Amino acid sequence: MANLNVQIPTLKLNDGTSIPLIGYGTGTAWYKSDSGSGIDRKLVDATKTALKLGYYHLDAAEVYNTEAEVGIAIKESKVPREKLFVTTKVITNIQDVPNAINQSLEKLQLDYVDLYLVHSPFFASSDADLQSTWAAMEKVKADGKAKSIGVSNYLVPHLEATMKTASVIPSINQIEYHPYLQHGGPDGPLLSYMKEHNIANSAYAPLTAVTKAKPGPLDELYAHLAKKYYVSEGEIALRWCIDQNVVAITTSGKEERLSDYLRATTFTMTPKENYPWGKKGHESLAASLCAKTPNTGFEIDESKEYAEMWMGDYPVLPAKGLKSGEELHKIVDDNKEQLLGKTCIDKFGGVVPFLPKILSISKALPLQIHPNKELAAQLHKQDPEKFTDPNHKPEIAIALGPFEVFAGFKDNNDIQALFSALSPLERFLPRKDVNFDHEVLKQVCYKIFTASDEEIRTTQVELAKIPKEKYGKQAYIVDLLPRLQEQYSKEDPGNLVALLTMNFLSLTAGEAIYVPADAPHAYLSGNIVECMARSNNVLNTGFCPRADADSIELFTSALTFSPHNAEEVKLGTSKTEKSMHGKTSVYAPPMSEFNMLKTSLQDGEKETIRAIGGPSVLFATRGSGKLVADGDTHDIKEGYIFFVGQGVEVSYEATSGLDVYQAYAE
């Protein structure tokens, strides 16, 4: 259970009232077909639980026959009326709205409701029926029995008919809304009309895609997002609504599930993979470049974090053709030999074997490893929803400015020095006077990861009191410790594992690292170009809630000890025979899936990259110019991305200083 103390965000309606963006629903599972069946005590208790957790928006309806239970729960919970937002709906007694609201208020034991809705338009046989009913609703509002009034299940013709004679614009339209039923999307007739008239959208059945509609085409994406944000698929479904300012109505009789749903208020999503560790607004290079990429329709919200921009054919978040909008993996699949080449197909299969990204990092990513091929295949077989492919995921990271990272283990002698000099660390040693080797290091990591919150907190408090000189050449630990504690907590074991056992590197623009499979790492801050083998598998253990961490046994058993000092982590550059004019260098990690070219040009300079015997993805991070390929000339600017098929020569001419990165395989 999440045990969160959060306040559900609100949305201001067109009449000035504010509605919580998540509501606790008393229909669906709680619906009673017989109004005389008596009080459902389970619903009363469930509603009280929801109120206890902070679900102050309660959604009822006369047709559900649950208003009495909601009223009892409100009374027994003793939550002040001003904290509550109570919605109910009329349809059973739609012909007598004044009497209907009085009956509902009596059952709810309230003097007024915050929102009163016409439950459905399908009672009406004419526009006049809709209009007269809405006039009665306006009278309810004028009499103070409802602060706001709205509708439910209305389509454009129903709204248009109502608006012809309305004095009060409906504040909200509650409709079934989820990724599989978007009513034509933001530009469709219904949502466009609602936006034009400032009518808010409220969603019932927002979890349909992850509950009733499985299996479905979005299953893989939901699983990926749940894994990436460390939440459940249901929470992803709720956040999808919240990020669109759509009021989501959900329900459950389980306290643990309701508590977990509140995590939907603690992060944000965007189409460009928004993570809580990303940089905000225009500070994020990933967001700034994405906003300059043609035809994305992406606009930066300065209040949101933006972490990643993906540029590959991985089906979870694939790049798309500029003109056709077709996903890259489908384009490649239809033209494999022409785009990939037979050698690449034989070597890697019919896919682009790498995935390039831009990352913008403001706080530490989870401490993680990527399983090797053998383990990845095993995990994929056991849990294909979580481990979505059987491939390994070695990667490189190239700094585009100052970049801080934990990567690989320190030299054993450096670890030994800390554990010998700092007495609070003795509790994690397998025995006294131990000499560090790979097996001892595994045991120490395991003991730290499995220690209690109290042990981790006590150790960090004690370490902070030790003078800097006791840390020797690793005194940077004293400065980094409070920073990590602020980002996560004093109970996070990742703070100790990273600071005490892993290399800490502070790189400048152009410097790079190589992280092999099974090597521990955590990016701490900066803007980088990242490229990895085509996979999305990861095991997390630190810099994340314990409940979201993967198996400690699996993590520690999979650890490898190369690299085992800071210099082994670094990846240098060299000249490349691909360059005709010497303006390009290559990052060549010790793996077969890809290399990365970097071309840097001053104003007016030119470069030509010889034809490559496999696919490549190139993108500009600075400047502008012209790109010529296959006889065609294209503009190339910051944020522009090109897929280049095998056997194609590419030339550049800079009009202003131009930096281009090109990931390729052959």
mmCIF file of all heavy atoms in Angstrom, residues 4 6 9 225-226 228-240 242-243 260-270 274-277 304-305:
data_model
loop_
_atom_site.group_PDB
_atom_site.id
_atom_site.type_symbol
_atom_site.label_atom_id
_atom_site.label_comp_id
_atom_site.label_asym_id
_atom_site.label_seq_id
_atom_site.Cartn_x
_atom_site.Cartn_y
_atom_site.Cartn_z
ATOM 1 N N LEU A 4 0.293 7.180 1.042
ATOM 2 C CA LEU A 4 0.629 8.539 0.636
ATOM 3 C C LEU A 4 -0.263 9.556 1.334
ATOM 4 O O LEU A 4 -1.456 9.326 1.533
ATOM 5 C CB LEU A 4 0.457 8.691 -0.887
ATOM 6 C CG LEU A 4 1.383 7.850 -1.762
ATOM 7 C CD1 LEU A 4 0.999 8.034 -3.215
ATOM 8 C CD2 LEU A 4 2.822 8.239 -1.549
ATOM 9 N N VAL A 6 -1.315 12.745 0.184
ATOM 10 C CA VAL A 6 -1.308 13.671 -0.947
ATOM 11 C C VAL A 6 -2.666 14.345 -1.068
ATOM 12 O O VAL A 6 -3.676 13.846 -0.571
ATOM 13 C CB VAL A 6 -0.981 12.950 -2.278
ATOM 14 C CG1 VAL A 6 0.394 12.329 -2.220
ATOM 15 C CG2 VAL A 6 -2.033 11.901 -2.610
ATOM 16 N N PRO A 9 -5.232 16.883 -7.018
ATOM 17 C CA PRO A 9 -5.324 18.183 -7.694
ATOM 18 C C PRO A 9 -6.738 18.467 -8.168
ATOM 19 O O PRO A 9 -7.554 17.556 -8.331
ATOM 20 C CB PRO A 9 -4.361 18.032 -8.870
ATOM 21 C CG PRO A 9 -4.253 16.565 -9.112
ATOM 22 C CD PRO A 9 -4.395 15.919 -7.767
ATOM 23 N N LEU A 225 5.026 1.634 -19.428
ATOM 24 C CA LEU A 225 4.903 2.866 -18.648
ATOM 25 C C LEU A 225 4.801 2.571 -17.154
ATOM 26 O O LEU A 225 5.366 3.290 -16.331
ATOM 27 C CB LEU A 225 3.689 3.661 -19.116
ATOM 28 C CG LEU A 225 3.793 4.263 -20.522
ATOM 29 C CD1 LEU A 225 2.477 4.912 -20.924
ATOM 30 C CD2 LEU A 225 4.925 5.278 -20.602
ATOM 31 N N ALA A 226 4.084 1.506 -16.804
ATOM 32 C CA ALA A 226 3.988 1.137 -15.392
ATOM 33 C C ALA A 226 5.363 0.808 -14.829
ATOM 34 O O ALA A 226 5.713 1.208 -13.714
ATOM 35 C CB ALA A 226 3.042 -0.055 -15.225
ATOM 36 N N LYS A 228 8.272 1.874 -16.019
ATOM 37 C CA LYS A 228 9.135 3.060 -16.031
ATOM 38 C C LYS A 228 8.795 4.031 -14.906
ATOM 39 O O LYS A 228 9.677 4.677 -14.336
ATOM 40 C CB LYS A 228 9.014 3.782 -17.374
ATOM 41 C CG LYS A 228 9.798 3.114 -18.499
ATOM 42 C CD LYS A 228 11.284 3.251 -18.263
ATOM 43 C CE LYS A 228 12.086 2.709 -19.427
ATOM 44 N NZ LYS A 228 13.535 2.833 -19.177
ATOM 45 N N TYR A 229 7.486 4.161 -14.566
ATOM 46 C CA TYR A 229 7.096 5.125 -13.546
ATOM 47 C C TYR A 229 6.953 4.492 -12.166
ATOM 48 O O TYR A 229 6.613 5.170 -11.205
ATOM 49 C CB TYR A 229 5.766 5.790 -13.930
ATOM 50 C CG TYR A 229 5.889 6.745 -15.077
ATOM 51 C CD1 TYR A 229 5.579 6.342 -16.368
ATOM 52 C CD2 TYR A 229 6.321 8.043 -14.884
ATOM 53 C CE1 TYR A 229 5.687 7.214 -17.432
ATOM 54 C CE2 TYR A 229 6.442 8.923 -15.950
ATOM 55 C CZ TYR A 229 6.120 8.500 -17.223
ATOM 56 O OH TYR A 229 6.237 9.366 -18.275
ATOM 57 N N TYR A 230 7.213 3.156 -12.078
ATOM 58 C CA TYR A 230 7.138 2.448 -10.800
ATOM 59 C C TYR A 230 5.745 2.515 -10.186
ATOM 60 O O TYR A 230 5.585 2.704 -8.974
ATOM 61 C CB TYR A 230 8.190 2.985 -9.817
ATOM 62 C CG TYR A 230 9.554 3.095 -10.422
ATOM 63 C CD1 TYR A 230 10.132 4.338 -10.638
ATOM 64 C CD2 TYR A 230 10.240 1.959 -10.812
ATOM 65 C CE1 TYR A 230 11.369 4.442 -11.235
ATOM 66 C CE2 TYR A 230 11.487 2.059 -11.404
ATOM 67 C CZ TYR A 230 12.049 3.304 -11.605
ATOM 68 O OH TYR A 230 13.278 3.402 -12.206
ATOM 69 N N VAL A 231 4.723 2.357 -11.020
ATOM 70 C CA VAL A 231 3.341 2.364 -10.553
ATOM 71 C C VAL A 231 2.604 1.226 -11.242
ATOM 72 O O VAL A 231 3.165 0.482 -12.035
ATOM 73 C CB VAL A 231 2.647 3.715 -10.855
ATOM 74 C CG1 VAL A 231 3.316 4.844 -10.099
ATOM 75 C CG2 VAL A 231 2.644 4.012 -12.353
ATOM 76 N N SER A 232 1.318 1.080 -10.940
ATOM 77 C CA SER A 232 0.511 0.052 -11.597
ATOM 78 C C SER A 232 -0.056 0.591 -12.904
ATOM 79 O O SER A 232 -0.069 1.797 -13.163
ATOM 80 C CB SER A 232 -0.635 -0.376 -10.682
ATOM 81 O OG SER A 232 -1.595 0.663 -10.570
ATOM 82 N N GLU A 233 -0.561 -0.320 -13.719
ATOM 83 C CA GLU A 233 -1.168 0.093 -14.983
ATOM 84 C C GLU A 233 -2.420 0.929 -14.732
ATOM 85 O O GLU A 233 -2.735 1.839 -15.501
ATOM 86 C CB GLU A 233 -1.484 -1.144 -15.832
ATOM 87 C CG GLU A 233 -0.227 -1.870 -16.303
ATOM 88 C CD GLU A 233 -0.524 -3.070 -17.187
ATOM 89 O OE1 GLU A 233 -1.698 -3.238 -17.592
ATOM 90 O OE2 GLU A 233 0.405 -3.825 -17.483
ATOM 91 N N GLY A 234 -3.148 0.630 -13.644
ATOM 92 C CA GLY A 234 -4.319 1.435 -13.305
ATOM 93 C C GLY A 234 -3.949 2.879 -13.014
ATOM 94 O O GLY A 234 -4.672 3.810 -13.388
ATOM 95 N N GLU A 235 -2.811 3.065 -12.356
ATOM 96 C CA GLU A 235 -2.363 4.428 -12.047
ATOM 97 C C GLU A 235 -1.947 5.165 -13.320
ATOM 98 O O GLU A 235 -2.136 6.380 -13.436
ATOM 99 C CB GLU A 235 -1.215 4.360 -11.048
ATOM 100 C CG GLU A 235 -1.659 3.886 -9.677
ATOM 101 C CD GLU A 235 -0.550 3.220 -8.887
ATOM 102 O OE1 GLU A 235 0.488 3.865 -8.679
ATOM 103 O OE2 GLU A 235 -0.710 2.059 -8.504
ATOM 104 N N ILE A 236 -1.372 4.435 -14.274
ATOM 105 C CA ILE A 236 -1.055 5.040 -15.577
ATOM 106 C C ILE A 236 -2.339 5.502 -16.251
ATOM 107 O O ILE A 236 -2.416 6.604 -16.813
ATOM 108 C CB ILE A 236 -0.305 4.044 -16.480
ATOM 109 C CG1 ILE A 236 1.086 3.732 -15.904
ATOM 110 C CG2 ILE A 236 -0.199 4.565 -17.908
ATOM 111 C CD1 ILE A 236 2.032 4.906 -15.876
ATOM 112 N N ALA A 237 -3.387 4.656 -16.186
ATOM 113 C CA ALA A 237 -4.668 5.013 -16.813
ATOM 114 C C ALA A 237 -5.264 6.266 -16.179
ATOM 115 O O ALA A 237 -5.804 7.139 -16.877
ATOM 116 C CB ALA A 237 -5.646 3.841 -16.704
ATOM 117 N N LEU A 238 -5.172 6.377 -14.859
ATOM 118 C CA LEU A 238 -5.690 7.575 -14.184
ATOM 119 C C LEU A 238 -4.858 8.802 -14.532
ATOM 120 O O LEU A 238 -5.394 9.890 -14.769
ATOM 121 C CB LEU A 238 -5.698 7.357 -12.673
ATOM 122 C CG LEU A 238 -6.698 6.320 -12.145
ATOM 123 C CD1 LEU A 238 -6.508 6.115 -10.645
ATOM 124 C CD2 LEU A 238 -8.134 6.739 -12.442
ATOM 125 N N ARG A 239 -3.525 8.630 -14.567
ATOM 126 C CA ARG A 239 -2.666 9.781 -14.869
ATOM 127 C C ARG A 239 -2.892 10.267 -16.296
ATOM 128 O O ARG A 239 -2.771 11.465 -16.580
ATOM 129 C CB ARG A 239 -1.195 9.405 -14.666
ATOM 130 C CG ARG A 239 -0.252 10.602 -14.756
ATOM 131 C CD ARG A 239 -0.454 11.533 -13.569
ATOM 132 N NE ARG A 239 -0.441 12.940 -13.940
ATOM 133 C CZ ARG A 239 -0.425 13.930 -13.066
ATOM 134 N NH1 ARG A 239 -0.441 13.683 -11.773
ATOM 135 N NH2 ARG A 239 -0.433 15.184 -13.472
ATOM 136 N N TRP A 240 -3.206 9.352 -17.201
ATOM 137 C CA TRP A 240 -3.510 9.728 -18.585
ATOM 138 C C TRP A 240 -4.666 10.726 -18.609
ATOM 139 O O TRP A 240 -4.657 11.678 -19.390
ATOM 140 C CB TRP A 240 -3.846 8.481 -19.391
ATOM 141 C CG TRP A 240 -4.123 8.712 -20.834
ATOM 142 C CD1 TRP A 240 -3.216 8.916 -21.837
ATOM 143 C CD2 TRP A 240 -5.417 8.747 -21.459
ATOM 144 N NE1 TRP A 240 -3.862 9.073 -23.033
ATOM 145 C CE2 TRP A 240 -5.203 8.981 -22.837
ATOM 146 C CE3 TRP A 240 -6.718 8.608 -20.998
ATOM 147 C CZ2 TRP A 240 -6.255 9.073 -23.752
ATOM 148 C CZ3 TRP A 240 -7.767 8.691 -21.897
ATOM 149 C CH2 TRP A 240 -7.530 8.924 -23.251
ATOM 150 N N ILE A 242 -5.628 12.672 -15.878
ATOM 151 C CA ILE A 242 -5.239 13.876 -15.146
ATOM 152 C C ILE A 242 -4.403 14.802 -16.010
ATOM 153 O O ILE A 242 -4.577 16.027 -15.987
ATOM 154 C CB ILE A 242 -4.474 13.494 -13.863
ATOM 155 C CG1 ILE A 242 -5.413 12.778 -12.883
ATOM 156 C CG2 ILE A 242 -3.867 14.725 -13.192
ATOM 157 C CD1 ILE A 242 -4.701 12.181 -11.684
ATOM 158 N N ASP A 243 -3.469 14.228 -16.783
ATOM 159 C CA ASP A 243 -2.595 15.052 -17.614
ATOM 160 C C ASP A 243 -3.364 15.792 -18.703
ATOM 161 O O ASP A 243 -2.847 16.727 -19.317
ATOM 162 C CB ASP A 243 -1.495 14.204 -18.235
ATOM 163 C CG ASP A 243 -0.346 13.947 -17.272
ATOM 164 O OD1 ASP A 243 -0.246 14.673 -16.260
ATOM 165 O OD2 ASP A 243 0.447 13.040 -17.529
ATOM 166 N N ASP A 260 -2.998 3.031 -3.514
ATOM 167 C CA ASP A 260 -2.045 3.037 -4.624
ATOM 168 C C ASP A 260 -2.478 3.974 -5.746
ATOM 169 O O ASP A 260 -1.625 4.608 -6.389
ATOM 170 C CB ASP A 260 -1.877 1.615 -5.175
ATOM 171 C CG ASP A 260 -1.105 0.709 -4.229
ATOM 172 O OD1 ASP A 260 -0.470 1.233 -3.296
ATOM 173 O OD2 ASP A 260 -1.146 -0.522 -4.422
ATOM 174 N N TYR A 261 -3.795 4.067 -5.978
ATOM 175 C CA TYR A 261 -4.276 4.956 -7.036
ATOM 176 C C TYR A 261 -3.847 6.402 -6.803
ATOM 177 O O TYR A 261 -3.698 7.179 -7.747
ATOM 178 C CB TYR A 261 -5.800 4.897 -7.134
ATOM 179 C CG TYR A 261 -6.352 3.677 -7.844
ATOM 180 C CD1 TYR A 261 -7.701 3.333 -7.738
ATOM 181 C CD2 TYR A 261 -5.537 2.859 -8.616
ATOM 182 C CE1 TYR A 261 -8.219 2.222 -8.382
ATOM 183 C CE2 TYR A 261 -6.047 1.736 -9.254
ATOM 184 C CZ TYR A 261 -7.392 1.421 -9.128
ATOM 185 O OH TYR A 261 -7.900 0.326 -9.764
ATOM 186 N N LEU A 262 -3.638 6.766 -5.545
ATOM 187 C CA LEU A 262 -3.240 8.143 -5.245
ATOM 188 C C LEU A 262 -1.862 8.477 -5.803
ATOM 189 O O LEU A 262 -1.521 9.652 -5.950
ATOM 190 C CB LEU A 262 -3.267 8.381 -3.736
ATOM 191 C CG LEU A 262 -4.660 8.382 -3.092
ATOM 192 C CD1 LEU A 262 -4.545 8.510 -1.590
ATOM 193 C CD2 LEU A 262 -5.520 9.506 -3.655
ATOM 194 N N ARG A 263 -1.066 7.445 -6.114
ATOM 195 C CA ARG A 263 0.244 7.717 -6.723
ATOM 196 C C ARG A 263 0.098 8.378 -8.085
ATOM 197 O O ARG A 263 1.045 8.971 -8.593
ATOM 198 C CB ARG A 263 1.058 6.426 -6.847
ATOM 199 C CG ARG A 263 1.622 5.940 -5.533
ATOM 200 C CD ARG A 263 2.580 4.793 -5.707
ATOM 201 N NE ARG A 263 1.964 3.624 -6.306
ATOM 202 C CZ ARG A 263 2.360 2.380 -6.098
ATOM 203 N NH1 ARG A 263 3.399 2.142 -5.321
ATOM 204 N NH2 ARG A 263 1.750 1.362 -6.672
ATOM 205 N N ALA A 264 -1.095 8.265 -8.665
ATOM 206 C CA ALA A 264 -1.334 8.921 -9.952
ATOM 207 C C ALA A 264 -1.203 10.434 -9.852
ATOM 208 O O ALA A 264 -1.053 11.123 -10.861
ATOM 209 C CB ALA A 264 -2.715 8.555 -10.498
ATOM 210 N N THR A 265 -1.240 10.951 -8.626
ATOM 211 C CA THR A 265 -1.110 12.403 -8.434
ATOM 212 C C THR A 265 0.343 12.833 -8.260
ATOM 213 O O THR A 265 0.620 14.023 -8.133
ATOM 214 C CB THR A 265 -1.905 12.866 -7.198
ATOM 215 O OG1 THR A 265 -1.290 12.326 -6.016
ATOM 216 C CG2 THR A 265 -3.345 12.409 -7.271
ATOM 217 N N THR A 266 1.280 11.879 -8.234
ATOM 218 C CA THR A 266 2.663 12.199 -7.869
ATOM 219 C C THR A 266 3.622 12.255 -9.042
ATOM 220 O O THR A 266 4.817 12.454 -8.854
ATOM 221 C CB THR A 266 3.198 11.174 -6.850
ATOM 222 O OG1 THR A 266 3.268 9.872 -7.481
ATOM 223 C CG2 THR A 266 2.305 11.098 -5.625
ATOM 224 N N PHE A 267 3.129 12.041 -10.254
ATOM 225 C CA PHE A 267 4.006 12.111 -11.424
ATOM 226 C C PHE A 267 3.186 12.624 -12.594
ATOM 227 O O PHE A 267 1.970 12.775 -12.497
ATOM 228 C CB PHE A 267 4.606 10.740 -11.760
ATOM 229 C CG PHE A 267 3.594 9.718 -12.196
ATOM 230 C CD1 PHE A 267 3.389 9.450 -13.539
ATOM 231 C CD2 PHE A 267 2.845 9.018 -11.264
ATOM 232 C CE1 PHE A 267 2.455 8.510 -13.953
ATOM 233 C CE2 PHE A 267 1.908 8.082 -11.661
ATOM 234 C CZ PHE A 267 1.712 7.829 -13.006
ATOM 235 N N THR A 268 3.864 12.955 -13.678
ATOM 236 C CA THR A 268 3.169 13.386 -14.888
ATOM 237 C C THR A 268 3.710 12.619 -16.075
ATOM 238 O O THR A 268 4.835 12.147 -16.077
ATOM 239 C CB THR A 268 3.349 14.892 -15.146
ATOM 240 O OG1 THR A 268 4.746 15.183 -15.208
ATOM 241 C CG2 THR A 268 2.718 15.708 -14.044
ATOM 242 N N MET A 269 2.889 12.489 -17.093
ATOM 243 C CA MET A 269 3.311 11.827 -18.330
ATOM 244 C C MET A 269 3.134 12.783 -19.499
ATOM 245 O O MET A 269 2.270 13.648 -19.481
ATOM 246 C CB MET A 269 2.462 10.583 -18.611
ATOM 247 C CG MET A 269 2.614 9.466 -17.614
ATOM 248 S SD MET A 269 1.854 7.943 -18.235
ATOM 249 C CE MET A 269 0.169 8.462 -18.525
ATOM 250 N N THR A 270 3.957 12.592 -20.508
ATOM 251 C CA THR A 270 3.754 13.262 -21.789
ATOM 252 C C THR A 270 4.022 12.248 -22.879
ATOM 253 O O THR A 270 4.586 11.182 -22.622
ATOM 254 C CB THR A 270 4.716 14.449 -21.997
ATOM 255 O OG1 THR A 270 6.010 13.934 -22.334
ATOM 256 C CG2 THR A 270 4.815 15.306 -20.761
ATOM 257 N N ASN A 274 7.730 11.332 -20.096
ATOM 258 C CA ASN A 274 8.010 12.286 -19.017
ATOM 259 C C ASN A 274 8.255 11.528 -17.719
ATOM 260 O O ASN A 274 7.444 10.729 -17.303
ATOM 261 C CB ASN A 274 6.799 13.220 -18.874
ATOM 262 C CG ASN A 274 7.003 14.223 -17.784
ATOM 263 O OD1 ASN A 274 8.116 14.553 -17.442
ATOM 264 N ND2 ASN A 274 5.910 14.702 -17.230
ATOM 265 N N TYR A 275 9.406 11.743 -17.088
ATOM 266 C CA TYR A 275 9.754 11.093 -15.839
ATOM 267 C C TYR A 275 9.993 12.143 -14.766
ATOM 268 O O TYR A 275 10.416 13.254 -15.058
ATOM 269 C CB TYR A 275 11.034 10.258 -15.984
ATOM 270 C CG TYR A 275 10.942 9.138 -16.969
ATOM 271 C CD1 TYR A 275 11.349 9.317 -18.291
ATOM 272 C CD2 TYR A 275 10.464 7.896 -16.586
ATOM 273 C CE1 TYR A 275 11.277 8.272 -19.196
ATOM 274 C CE2 TYR A 275 10.394 6.854 -17.494
ATOM 275 C CZ TYR A 275 10.799 7.040 -18.798
ATOM 276 O OH TYR A 275 10.733 6.021 -19.684
ATOM 277 N N PRO A 276 9.799 11.773 -13.485
ATOM 278 C CA PRO A 276 10.007 12.759 -12.423
ATOM 279 C C PRO A 276 11.452 13.184 -12.272
ATOM 280 O O PRO A 276 11.734 14.154 -11.590
ATOM 281 C CB PRO A 276 9.506 12.023 -11.165
ATOM 282 C CG PRO A 276 9.521 10.582 -11.518
ATOM 283 C CD PRO A 276 9.245 10.509 -12.974
ATOM 284 N N TRP A 277 12.404 12.452 -12.892
ATOM 285 C CA TRP A 277 13.813 12.861 -12.805
ATOM 286 C C TRP A 277 14.223 13.780 -13.949
ATOM 287 O O TRP A 277 15.382 14.187 -14.043
ATOM 288 C CB TRP A 277 14.737 11.646 -12.730
ATOM 289 C CG TRP A 277 14.465 10.544 -13.715
ATOM 290 C CD1 TRP A 277 13.784 9.386 -13.484
ATOM 291 C CD2 TRP A 277 14.884 10.481 -15.092
ATOM 292 N NE1 TRP A 277 13.742 8.612 -14.619
ATOM 293 C CE2 TRP A 277 14.411 9.264 -15.617
ATOM 294 C CE3 TRP A 277 15.611 11.339 -15.912
ATOM 295 C CZ2 TRP A 277 14.648 8.875 -16.934
ATOM 296 C CZ3 TRP A 277 15.841 10.953 -17.225
ATOM 297 C CH2 TRP A 277 15.361 9.739 -17.725
ATOM 298 N N LYS A 304 6.230 21.226 -16.139
ATOM 299 C CA LYS A 304 6.410 19.775 -16.215
ATOM 300 C C LYS A 304 7.866 19.396 -16.458
ATOM 301 O O LYS A 304 8.628 20.138 -17.069
ATOM 302 C CB LYS A 304 5.532 19.183 -17.330
ATOM 303 C CG LYS A 304 4.049 19.235 -17.028
ATOM 304 C CD LYS A 304 3.249 18.547 -18.116
ATOM 305 C CE LYS A 304 1.744 18.531 -17.775
ATOM 306 N NZ LYS A 304 0.956 17.859 -18.821
ATOM 307 N N GLU A 305 8.216 18.183 -15.972
ATOM 308 C CA GLU A 305 9.541 17.641 -16.224
ATOM 309 C C GLU A 305 9.528 16.858 -17.531
ATOM 310 O O GLU A 305 8.571 16.149 -17.843
ATOM 311 C CB GLU A 305 9.971 16.706 -15.092
ATOM 312 C CG GLU A 305 10.100 17.380 -13.742
ATOM 313 C CD GLU A 305 8.833 17.338 -12.923
ATOM 314 O OE1 GLU A 305 7.807 16.858 -13.451
ATOM 315 O OE2 GLU A 305 8.853 17.804 -11.774
#
